[in-house]
Each structure stands twice: as C-alpha cells, then as structure tokens.
Amino acid sequence: MAAVSKTPRPHRAGVLLAALCVMQWATPVLAEPSEAYVTNQLGNSLSIVDLSKMAVAGEIKIEGAPVGIAFSPDGTQAYVTAPDSKDLVYIDTQKRRIVARLPAGQGPVGVAVNPKTGAVYVADWYQHALLAIDPQKRIVTGSVEVGKAP
C-alpha cells in the first residue's frame, strides 16, 4: 500500500514560481543575475544553477521537502521553507551551507522578505496564518490569521 504524505504540495505552477529565485552577486540592481536557486521538494535539496553555463553549480541537502525560497536584501542569506520538518532553513549563500533552522508553524510553505527591513514572512499552510520572523534574532515575532492554505 502506498504511503500518502500530508505535506502541502502546491500546484505545479505555484511551485515553479515559488521555487525559482534568481540571485545577484554584488552587482547593481539592473545587472543580469549570475545564479538561480531552485528548491527540489521531492529531492530534499536546493540546486544552485550557474546561468552563464546553464548547469548546476552546487547542491545543498535540505531535509523536510523544501519548497519556498526568498533572499535577504543583501543576498547573503536565503530562507527556505521546509514543510515536512516545519522549519525555516537559513542558508549562507556565500558558503553555500545551512547555518540555522527555525521552527516555523505547522506547515511553512510560502516565504517573502521585506526588501527594506529584511523582515521575513512565512505562510503556514495548516495554521492558515502569516508568521512574521526577525531574521537576526531568529524568532517568530507575530502572526496573523489569513484564509485557508496560504
């Protein structure tokens, strides 16, 4: 008998939009990005793609079915949601490694970063809430109820 995962699996188009984020390395805002970060939910990893070569330049293993990704305003941190482990995973983009994991609700899926303040916002699929996170203190600072399956 096949096991059924209760992990939120957003519609394919949503996963593509949420999973593909382009990174700019110490370049002006209008410069062409050099890398793309792609979450691999079923593969438990994050691929780093060199856009000039259109090839995978690195991979970071992330347990918990990673799906959402967003970047700090300066690009030094990537924040990845892992709904199976119920974590927000902090990635050092220069060292290309996990630096922290923060419990973030019951089903963290979507993630966004305020480009001016750096505050991180995580959509919790099961608690139907938006969590506010202080990325430096690595704590949840508040939440607000929203509609089902944000």
Side-chain angles (χ1 to χ4, degrees):
M1 181 173 185
V4 177
S5 173
K6 293 185 179 182
T7 300
R9 304 281 186 211
H11 185 272
R12 284 185 192 181
V15 171
L16 180 61
L17 292 175
L20 179 62
C21 286
V22 177
M23 195 59 209
Q24 295 182 7
W25 292 101
T27 58
V29 174
L30 299 176
E32 285 293 316
S34 61
E35 294 182 324
Y37 281 55
V38 183
T39 59
N40 306 303
Q41 190 171 22
L42 299 179
N44 285 309
S45 67
L46 175 71
S47 294
I48 303 164
V49 178
D50 180 325
L51 295 175
S52 66
K53 297 177 182 174
M54 293 306 290
V56 175
E59 185 175 56
I60 301 168
K61 286 293 187 187
I62 301 176
E63 293 302 318
V67 65
I69 185 168
F71 294 91
S72 61
D74 65 3
T76 62
Q77 295 281 314
Y79 307 104
V80 177
T81 55
D84 277 5
S85 61
K86 303 175 184 175
D87 291 327
L88 178 66
V89 181
Y90 288 66
I91 305 288
D92 179 317
T93 59
Q94 294 170 348
K95 294 181 181 176
R96 295 184 175 180
R97 65 180 184 88
I98 295 172
V99 293
R101 294 182 82 105
L102 172 70
Q106 295 302 306
V109 179
V111 60
V113 174
N114 181 313
K116 292 187 180 182
T117 68
V120 178
Y121 300 96
V122 174
D124 187 318
W125 183 277
Y126 293 121
Q127 291 181 323
H128 315 295
L130 179 66
L131 308 176
I133 296 173
D134 179 321
Q136 283 76 36
K137 294 181 181 177
R138 297 183 180 156
I139 60 170
V140 176
T141 58
S143 69
V144 62
E145 288 186 30
V146 295
K148 289 187 177 183

